[in-house]
Amino acid sequence: MDNQENNVNQETQRIPEVEPQRHRRSRRRKNSGCAGTIVYVIAVLGISIVLSLAAIFIANDVFAFVKDNAVKEVSVSENTDILTLADRLDDEGIINYGSIFKMYVRIKGDNQGVLAGTYSLNPSMDYGQIIDTLVNASSNETMNITIPEGYSIAQIKQLLLDEHVCTEDVLDEELSTYPFKHDFLQSELPAEEGWLEGYLFPDTYEIYKGNANVVTTLNTMLNNFDEKYDEEIQAGAEALGRSMHDIVTIASLIEREAQVDSERATIAGVIYNRLNNAGEFPYLQVDASVLYGLGRTSGTLSEEDLATDTPYNLYMKEGLPPGPICNPGYASLHAAAYPEQHNYFYYVAMPDGTHLFANSYEEHQANIATSNQAQAAAAAAAANAEGSGE
């Protein structure tokens, strides 16, 4: 027992004192945890400050709260849109963040074409004002532009673009969506693509360039139509029992078919003779209308063309086309209101632009043979002249 007690005492004496060490390690952990928390808080605060400053700078650029006031001239070339100009605007100091500007344009859906020219911009403008200035800039520059008789809206549009009057996207929007208030258009509403066909009167106009002036330009053409569709034409339409829409549609067919003024009323008479004898002649068979439905203004029609089913294929659709195929001049409007009285139901073109008219199919076939011979002779003469260098 004594040995055992001695052993126990010895074992007890050998037990290390560990409690103080645990307390020391615990303090270090607490100190380390506090330091980490402080570093984390400082980091969060730092990032928040940086983000806040970045947000302030970006917001100042977007909304132009405090920016320099200095007019800068920016020249824009053809076929340029807003996004393409972003880096230029950044380089010129008009904006500070080209990438943010691009994001703004995409989110707003404002990437439109910009008319070639020189624009006065200012860093004090916000993004919206910059875009509005570039897209809707008006101009004090005027120009004379002539719309030929028989031009379709597609041709008028291309003419305006070729003359750099405005940008394509703005012109398309105003042609297709602007609700013009003219009385004669109310039955055509709602506005849609092509709804102004026939009513943009062909003439020479002095117009202002710039996207902001597009509506005014189109309105001037519509006002001119309103004046030209005068009481005399109205009286003729009433006597025929035809609406303005009918008269303009028939006039557009005449405009594209007649090449000689003296034949306008004669061709009008053929159209009315067929319309008034729909049982025997259900189809007007006007080539110009077929071409319009194919998106063309000229050329020879193939068998495939004539078999193409469009609303304007008057070899397949009875009566008049859905609407005008071009914008007719006064002479064609007058002819549509006062057609020549005759018994012709057919006509075929000659090389000089005149037509041969017939009241029977047999006579028409003979006229076609005469026309084909004349066309072949004219083509041969042209080839000889070209070969001889004349």
Side-chain angles (χ1 to χ4, degrees):
M1 292 295 293
D2 292 337
N3 289 335
Q4 291 177 351
E5 290 176 356
N6 290 334
N7 290 336
V8 170
N9 292 334
Q10 290 174 359
E11 292 294 334
T12 303
Q13 292 173 358
R14 286 197 294 269
I15 295 174
E17 295 180 1
V18 296
E19 289 303 321
Q21 291 178 355
R22 284 197 197 95
H23 287 304
R24 283 196 293 273
R25 281 199 295 270
S26 177
R27 290 192 191 97
R28 282 199 296 271
R29 287 196 188 100
K30 288 180 179 179
N31 291 337
S32 176
C34 290
T37 301
I38 292 171
V39 171
Y40 176 77
V41 170
I42 292 173
V44 170
L45 288 174
I47 292 172
S48 298
I49 291 171
V50 170
L51 291 177
S52 297
L53 289 174
I56 291 171
F57 286 126
I58 291 173
N60 183 49
D61 200 44
V62 174
F63 300 106
F65 294 130
V66 181
K67 293 180 69 178
D68 294 337
N69 183 11
V71 176
K72 299 188 177 184
E73 302 292 329
V74 176
S75 296
V76 178
S77 58
E78 292 184 47
N79 302 319
T80 302
D81 58 27
I82 297 293
L83 285 176
T84 305
L85 283 174
D87 293 333
R88 284 266 314 279
L89 297 176
D90 196 341
D91 294 340
E92 295 286 344
I94 296 166
I95 59 175
N96 297 322
Y97 305 102
S99 58
I100 299 298
F101 183 81
K102 291 177 183 178
M103 186 184 302
Y104 179 93
V105 171
R106 290 191 178 100
I107 292 174
K108 296 280 287 183
D110 283 336
N111 188 36
Q112 302 181 46
V114 180
L115 187 66
T118 301
Y119 295 82
S120 296
L121 300 175
N122 198 316
S124 64
M125 292 177 171
D126 61 37
Y127 282 6
Q129 290 171 325
I130 292 172
I131 294 170
D132 186 66
T133 299
L134 290 170
V135 173
N136 297 313
S138 59
S139 172
N140 292 326
E141 180 183 353
T142 64
M143 64 176 297
N144 289 326
I145 189 164
T146 298
I147 308 298
E149 294 177 346
Y151 258 33
S152 66
I153 281 183
Q155 290 173 300
I156 292 175
K157 170 187 164 182
Q158 192 58 53
L159 177 61
L160 294 175
L161 295 179
D162 289 344
E163 295 293 338
H164 311 297
V165 172
C166 56
T167 59
E168 184 172 7
D169 46 5
V170 170
L171 181 55
D172 282 341
E173 181 178 0
E174 306 301 8
L175 280 170
S176 302
T177 66
Y178 191 85
F180 292 95
K181 303 302 183 183
H182 299 77
D183 290 341
F184 58 84
L185 289 176
Q186 298 313 297
S187 61
E188 306 292 334
L189 288 170
E192 60 183 1
E193 183 178 358
W195 79 299
L196 298 180
E197 191 78 89
Y199 301 99
L200 300 179
F201 195 81
D203 208 337
T204 297
Y205 298 93
E206 182 180 12
I207 62 174
Y208 285 92
K209 298 180 68 173
N211 289 335
N213 300 312
V214 172
V215 170
T216 301
T217 297
L218 297 177
N219 201 63
T220 300
M221 296 179 188
L222 294 170
N223 289 342
N224 198 9
F225 171 87
D226 197 21
E227 292 179 5
K228 295 299 191 297
Y229 197 90
D230 55 23
E231 293 181 358
E232 185 175 358
I233 293 178
Q234 292 177 40
E238 291 174 5
L240 293 169
R242 292 286 174 177
S243 66
M244 175 187 286
H245 182 81
D246 286 349
I247 294 296
V248 177
T249 300
I250 294 169
S252 73
L253 299 177
I254 298 167
E255 191 68 67
R256 294 310 300 265
E257 290 284 286
Q259 298 184 42
V260 178
D261 284 342
S262 61
E263 290 186 350
R264 294 181 193 274
T266 309
I267 291 176
V270 173
I271 293 172
Y272 278 106
N273 284 345
R274 283 180 168 253
L275 289 173
N276 295 332
N277 291 273
E280 187 177 356
F281 299 96
Y283 305 109
L284 292 182
Q285 299 182 326
V286 177
D287 290 357
S289 185
V290 180
L291 289 168
Y292 182 83
L294 296 171
R296 291 155 50 190
T297 56
S298 62
T300 303
L301 290 171
S302 65
E303 291 298 324
E304 182 181 358
D305 292 334
L306 294 174
T308 302
D309 189 3
T310 77
Y312 294 87
N313 188 339
L314 300 188
Y315 284 80
M316 302 176 67
K317 307 297 182 181
E318 298 183 7
L320 291 172
I325 64 171
C326 71
N327 295 275
Y330 185 83
S332 291
L333 287 170
H334 193 277
Y338 295 94
E340 185 178 303
Q341 301 298 311
H342 55 59
N343 295 319
Y344 298 139
F345 291 90
Y346 306 90
Y347 59 82
V348 63
M350 294 292 284
D352 62 357
T354 61
H355 292 81
L356 300 176
F357 297 88
N359 56 22
S360 70
Y361 183 72
E362 292 74 21
E363 185 180 358
H364 180 55
Q365 290 299 110
N367 286 344
I368 290 176
T370 300
S371 173
N372 289 339
Q373 291 176 358
Q375 299 285 1
N384 290 335
E386 184 178 350
S388 62
E390 295 180 5

